[in-house]
Amino acid sequence: MQNRGEFLQRDRTLQPPAFTKIYKTSVLRSPRQALLSLQNSLSEVTGPRFGHNELGPLDNDLILNYAKDGEPIGERIIVHGRVLDENGHGISNTLVEFWQANAGGRYRHKNDTYLAPIDPNFGGCGRALTDDNGYYYFRTIKPGPYPWRNYVNSWRPAHIHFSVFGSGFAQRLISQMYFEGDPHIATCPIVQTIPDADAIEQLVAPLDMNAAVPLDCRAYKFDIVLRGRRSTLFENRLEGN
Amino acid sequence: MPQDLTYLRETASQTAGPYVHIGLIPNQAGFDIFENNFSNTINGEGERIRIEGTVIDGTGTPLKDVLLESWQADKDGSYDNPDFRGWARAGSDFETGEWSIESIKPGAVIGRSGRMMAPHISLWVVARGINIGLNTRLYFSDEKEANKADPVINLVEQKVRRSTLIAQRGEGDGMPVYRFDIRLQGENETVFFDI
């Protein structure tokens, strides 16, 4: 049986609120009623588990997993890090999914009409399971920044989208990783939905030359922190007794 | 000075964006890359059901780029069944905004301090314009007595809002269909939880 401890209360002071005028699409898609606070039950502390048999051998290699007649254009990078909880424990065997634009800033998606070209050898998505210590890694092409319709001349900083499960449904998280030194981070309305400067810094991956492969690719390190579980179980009766 | 009290801080959420489909359901986005794709179908013993709905914005317009995930117990209300993974993922139709999940009806689940929770499915909603995933629950219209006693439904102070958590049972093609429209904003805004 998996760990059934309740989750620590989510720190809403660092999380973006639903309604953020600067990110215009949020205006009509944000609940206006207060969220109803719900103490965890089994429905929140449990969650789906995934196995290695569900993943293919190239799922964590975006340089090769859609290569048709050559390799994709762009800067070759490794992205690696750990999925941890707020107690600092690595979260093992959890699914991490990622998707991104190509080196020119274009997604392989029918709704993306940006004029930069599709790369015939780049799909732009992958996934990995963390190891026993919560460690994950994948190889890809560094995505390009791209324009979007928020203000007339808005550009997203280069980023990779991440989806992470953890071990309970209340840990479910989607976020974005940015790259150290990108000048668009400071002005991006989506980044700036986050009300806490340190929480923004936590989304910026540093260049990690120790994990680079000489004469092949550079590396960025990105740790992801999910909610922690309580380990002091007095008076926590999730189930009957 | 007391000892340091050091916890890591949760990573901040960011919107799933308009292209979440290529990451999480590339096959539904018309994009063949993985051998094994996650789907909107849950297999297992029990009464087969279909859930259909839309996610509606503050003008009453369905979102056509939304993604939902569901999590539920098995037909006996257990989350410990090794032969059952009660998880599904569904994207809305790019033209109509309709989404659907096929599953089995879950059993009642034991809740906090032994109070039974009515059969329900946990839902998580992400999309462009949603800064942090929204959590709600789907209950079943044909479980009136259990719903009346459910400790979570009863937390909703305004009774008029409780109906936003109840999916309406109808007849479908070979199995019952439950209709569950999620309203993000405005009249009849769905109850969302901070879990």
Side-chain angles (χ1 to χ4, degrees):
Chain A
M1 191 189 284
Q2 49 187 297
N3 184 336
R4 290 288 169 83
E6 280 179 89
F7 289 107
L8 309 182
Q9 174 181 298
R10 177 166 257 158
D11 182 355
R12 292 276 172 182
T13 67
L14 70 82
Q15 293 291 352
F19 175 57
T20 47
K21 277 191 286 192
I22 52 170
Y23 174 28
K24 294 183 181 181
T25 313
S26 76
V27 172
L28 283 172
R29 295 182 169 200
S30 42
R32 296 303 157 86
Q33 306 297 326
L35 299 178
L36 183 59
S37 297
L38 188 61
Q39 283 183 284
N40 287 173
S41 72
L42 288 178
S43 302
E44 288 76 40
V45 300
T46 57
R49 306 294 283 170
F50 301 90
H52 285 280
N53 60 331
E54 298 182 86
L55 272 56
L58 291 179
D59 282 5
N60 72 340
D61 189 349
L62 281 67
I63 290 182
L64 294 183
N65 72 5
Y66 203 77
K68 302 296 182 196
D69 56 2
E71 294 190 2
I73 302 280
E75 295 177 35
R76 300 159 64 84
I77 59 169
I78 288 169
V79 178
H80 75 125
R82 291 179 74 201
V83 179
L84 303 157
D85 70 17
E86 290 168 296
N87 298 310
H89 301 140
I91 302 179
S92 62
N93 284 303
T94 196
L95 184 67
V96 182
E97 298 165 288
F98 18 87
W99 67 100
Q100 62 168 91
N102 68 23
R106 175 80 182 266
Y107 287 87
R108 182 175 287 279
H109 191 293
K110 68 184 241 182
N111 293 342
D112 188 357
T113 55
Y114 180 36
L115 52 81
I118 291 280
D119 185 326
N121 295 307
F122 192 68
C125 60
R127 52 198 184 178
L129 278 176
T130 58
D131 72 9
D132 290 346
N133 299 310
Y135 183 71
Y136 76 91
Y137 64 94
F138 61 96
R139 190 168 78 148
T140 188
I141 295 295
K142 191 177 177 190
Y146 58 84
W148 63 299
R149 294 178 189 277
N150 192 69
Y151 303 120
V152 168
N153 190 23
S154 291
W155 288 72
R156 295 298 328 278
H159 62 276
I160 299 177
H161 298 264
F162 275 77
S163 153
V164 198
F165 280 82
S167 56
F169 205 55
Q171 285 174 304
R172 194 77 181 84
L173 185 74
I174 279 183
S175 192
Q176 302 182 27
M177 178 198 111
Y178 304 100
F179 294 86
E180 176 181 15
D182 190 328
H184 292 300
I185 294 171
T187 57
C188 175
I190 288 177
V191 176
Q192 299 302 326
T193 61
I194 299 169
D196 181 295
D198 291 336
I200 291 175
E201 291 293 314
Q202 201 173 322
L203 296 183
V204 182
L207 180 69
D208 179 5
M209 290 306 290
N210 286 339
V213 180
L215 305 178
D216 182 338
C217 64
R218 299 187 299 162
Y220 286 86
K221 178 171 177 290
F222 188 58
D223 289 337
I224 299 163
V225 181
L226 303 180
R227 294 167 67 185
R229 289 183 189 262
R230 287 184 63 174
S231 49
T232 50
L233 292 173
F234 296 112
E235 298 177 13
N236 278 326
R237 292 192 298 153
L238 291 174
E239 298 169 76
N241 53 4
Chain B
M1 287 282 283
Q3 296 180 12
D4 279 342
L5 184 61
T6 307
Y7 288 91
L8 300 179
R9 300 177 86 205
E10 187 186 16
T11 296
S13 170
Q14 292 270 262
T15 177
Y19 309 125
V20 60
H21 322 91
I22 76 160
L24 303 189
I25 42 173
N27 60 322
Q28 282 187 44
F31 173 11
D32 188 19
I33 187 164
F34 298 138
E35 281 176 37
N36 174 56
N37 288 290
F38 300 125
S39 81
N40 64 342
T41 300
I42 295 172
N43 297 310
E45 287 180 25
E47 183 192 11
R48 295 300 301 171
I49 61 169
R50 184 177 164 88
I51 298 156
E52 294 179 351
T54 51
V55 179
I56 299 163
D57 76 9
T59 69
T61 306
L63 274 60
K64 299 182 175 86
D65 52 9
V66 70
L67 183 129
L68 299 93
E69 290 185 6
S70 67
W71 175 241
Q72 66 170 84
D74 72 5
K75 70 178 172 56
D76 300 318
S78 170
Y79 288 104
D80 288 321
N81 180 346
D83 299 320
F84 182 78
R85 182 167 73 188
W87 174 78
R89 172 181 279 174
S92 63
D93 185 277
F94 288 146
E95 309 298 328
T96 65
E98 289 278 335
W99 58 270
S100 67
I101 289 170
E102 265 192 44
S103 186
I104 58 110
K105 193 172 171 193
V109 175
I110 194 162
R112 293 181 70 90
S113 304
R115 277 186 75 183
M116 291 306 288
M117 297 189 287
H120 65 276
I121 297 177
S122 299
L123 292 175
W124 180 73
V125 183
V126 295
R128 176 174 68 101
I130 295 177
N131 289 326
I132 182 165
L134 297 169
N135 293 97
T136 188
R137 282 189 179 194
L138 178 158
Y139 287 86
F140 298 89
S141 64
D142 52 329
E143 296 283 349
K144 284 198 172 56
E145 290 308 308
N147 290 344
K148 240 181 237 172
D150 180 84
V152 173
I153 293 177
N154 279 292
L155 276 181
V156 182
E157 182 183 341
Q158 296 81 9
K159 287 190 176 169
V160 66
R161 298 198 70 205
R162 295 179 184 173
S163 62
T164 68
L165 300 176
I166 315 287
Q168 295 301 319
R169 181 174 174 128
E171 288 312 310
D173 190 13
M175 66 179 87
V177 172
Y178 290 90
R179 182 78 198 176
F180 194 68
D181 291 314
I182 297 172
R183 289 178 176 77
L184 296 179
Q185 192 185 96
E187 204 176 340
N188 295 320
E189 181 180 307
T190 297
V191 172
F192 297 104
F193 297 102
D194 189 3
I195 61 172

